[in-house]
Amino acid sequence: MAAATGRGGRRLTKPTAAALLLLILSLAAFAALCLLRPMPMADLLVYRAEGSAVVEGTDLYGFVVTEWELPATYPPFAAVLFVPAALLPLLPLKAAVVAGNALLLGLLVHLSLRLAGRPSRPAVVLAATGAGLWLEPVFQTALFGQINLALACLVLWDLTRPDGARGKGIATGIAAGIKLTPAIFIVHLLLTGRVRAGLYGLAGFAGTVLAGVAALPGPSLEFWTRRIFQTGRVGKAWIVDNQSLQGMFARLLHTTEPGIVWQAAALVTAAAGLLLARRAVRVHGLEAWGLMCTALTALLVSPISWSHHWVWCVPLLALIAAGPGPRWAAAMAVVFTARSMWLLPHDGYLDLRLPWWQQPAASPYPLLALGFLAYVAWRVRGGPPGGSGPGLPGPRYASSPAAESSDASTIR
């Protein structure tokens, strides 16, 4: 058979048909796993409880749910968005969340290819979605019923639009209003010279705050004056689930409070990562690499970056495949699939008793991210490129010297 036949009589090419089969088999395996080992979707239960608190007018930041006693940690605006989750029966809601995350993964793959300056062919998107479902951050996002893929898609869609696009930055601001960490991308816009987009981002964020105040004035006052500073409510920073610098240093130093050590490291990393992103964009015109530097910097310096927050591994893999090459991307994919942190003893306080030789396996994501930042710093060292640039793929920022000399990588 030369090709399969799709809807409307259209014929699928062999690569597309094979990729579609891979996706179907991957989804079937995932569904079978869900049936054999029911997923708790603990975070989804928190979202559902937040929506219920809004509907019933109960204390939004006073409850805990699940056996892990999880509280609400997002701004009030997010709780308003979670109201539909409180109105649906639990089993259909879980099924909808899994299906929605699969669709969002496909969208994230498409946006990641656009970020890397590569065509988004159906066969590639279908195959990458089927394989990407088993990346640990993506799998954990579905396992917990998280919204990480939705936020990544919102930010990546917004920031891969042309600089002159109407309202660019607003979607990023809305993402920051749902879960605070995307706010770093507003800083990215301002540092890289997109002042108008940055101001739109601030306006979008302010709009979410005002909407939260209008809907939930009491909880809004409580969150923005008190709860926002209580990072300990999110969880234990030293467990292997936390793949931030704080988690890495806590385990390395065998202490629940790494204190000044991780704070200094986070401050230096934040400054270096954002300045590196600015240089990649403004001097060399490497928008995609600058954006990825900012994303990984956010994950590194956040007090807690659970492993499922690292869904930015999807655009990272796309960028590496388009730049250093598929072999490097495959090696990175192994890191994000291996689940090495879960293979180590990590019950109770065992996370803090790991010997030195197990530390890399306990903190694979921050080590990989630091390596990526070092690689980009090496590639963009020196002055502005004369013409060809550092040889990294991705769209060019129009006002940079690199873009003025060559726009061959610009996404149209």
Side-chain angles (χ1 to χ4, degrees):
M1 178 186 291
T5 302
R7 293 183 60 183
R10 294 181 180 179
R11 296 176 68 79
L12 301 177
T13 63
K14 283 185 176 181
T16 302
L20 180 59
L21 178 61
L22 173 63
L23 175 59
I24 293 173
L25 292 175
S26 181
L27 291 173
F30 191 87
L33 184 61
C34 293
L35 293 175
L36 293 173
R37 187 177 181 181
M39 296 185 177
M41 290 199 173
D43 289 325
L44 177 61
L45 297 180
V46 176
Y47 303 155
R48 198 164 186 254
E50 290 185 41
S52 295
V54 174
V55 172
E56 299 170 4
T58 56
D59 188 356
L60 178 59
Y61 296 107
F63 70 79
V64 291
V65 294
T66 78
E67 61 184 281
W68 300 282
E69 298 184 344
L70 302 176
T73 58
Y74 293 178
F77 176 72
V80 175
L81 298 182
F82 294 146
V83 166
L87 304 178
L88 292 174
L90 186 56
L91 288 179
L93 177 61
K94 287 184 175 182
V97 167
V98 171
N101 272 323
L103 291 173
L104 286 169
L105 176 58
L107 176 59
L108 185 60
V109 169
H110 164 73
L111 294 171
S112 299
L113 291 170
R114 185 166 78 174
L115 177 73
R118 293 297 183 262
S120 181
R121 295 188 177 92
V124 176
V125 173
L126 292 171
T129 302
L133 189 62
W134 301 97
L135 293 168
E136 191 271 346
V138 176
F139 183 86
Q140 293 290 100
T141 289
L143 181 71
F144 289 113
Q146 259 283 348
I147 59 172
N148 303 306
L149 289 169
L151 294 178
C153 285
L154 194 60
V155 171
L156 203 54
W157 168 80
D158 191 25
L159 298 189
T160 54
R161 295 193 296 155
D163 284 337
R166 180 177 299 178
K168 178 174 180 174
I170 292 179
T172 301
I174 293 173
I178 298 172
K179 192 172 184 177
L180 297 176
T181 47
I184 195 171
F185 293 104
I186 300 176
V187 179
H188 171 87
L189 288 172
L190 295 172
L191 282 178
T192 54
R194 274 70 63 88
V195 176
R196 184 177 68 171
L199 293 177
Y200 271 126
L202 290 173
F205 176 71
T208 67
V209 176
L210 293 175
V213 170
L216 301 167
S220 293
L221 179 64
E222 180 181 359
F223 180 83
W224 294 110
T225 61
R226 186 158 61 95
R227 299 297 187 183
I228 189 174
F229 304 108
Q230 297 175 346
T231 57
R233 282 169 52 86
V234 180
K236 299 173 182 177
W238 43 268
I239 57 179
V240 294
D241 311 47
N242 183 18
Q243 290 291 299
S244 72
L245 287 176
Q246 180 175 209
M248 182 178 73
F249 277 109
R251 293 185 293 271
L252 187 62
L253 299 176
H254 309 293
T255 176
T256 59
E257 298 291 341
I260 191 65
V261 175
W262 94 264
Q263 292 169 5
L267 183 62
V268 171
T269 302
L274 289 172
L275 290 176
L276 179 59
R278 173 182 168 83
R279 180 174 183 80
V281 175
R282 295 287 285 174
V283 177
H284 294 276
L286 296 168
E287 170 62 29
W289 293 83
L291 180 58
M292 191 52 55
C293 285
T294 297
L296 296 185
T297 297
L299 291 165
L300 285 168
V301 304
S302 176
I304 290 182
S305 292
W306 302 131
S307 68
H308 54 76
H309 292 170
W310 288 76
V311 293
W312 283 92
C313 67
V314 176
L316 175 63
L317 291 173
L319 201 57
I320 294 299
R327 291 183 179 179
W328 284 101
M332 280 192 175
V334 169
V335 174
F336 283 109
T337 307
R339 295 162 169 77
S340 62
M341 71 285 286
W342 305 117
L343 301 177
L344 300 174
H346 59 275
D347 291 332
Y349 284 88
L350 293 180
D351 310 62
L352 295 176
R353 300 171 185 170
L354 299 174
W356 66 267
W357 56 273
Q358 290 183 340
Q359 294 294 334
S363 305
Y365 301 168
L367 292 175
L368 188 149
L370 290 171
F372 175 86
L373 294 179
Y375 171 75
V376 176
W378 173 66
R379 293 304 300 264
V380 301
R381 69 194 186 284
S388 60
L392 299 176
R396 299 283 178 178
Y397 178 40
S399 65
S400 70
E404 293 174 359
S405 62
S406 173
D407 62 356
S409 298
T410 301
I411 293 180
R412 302 185 185 279

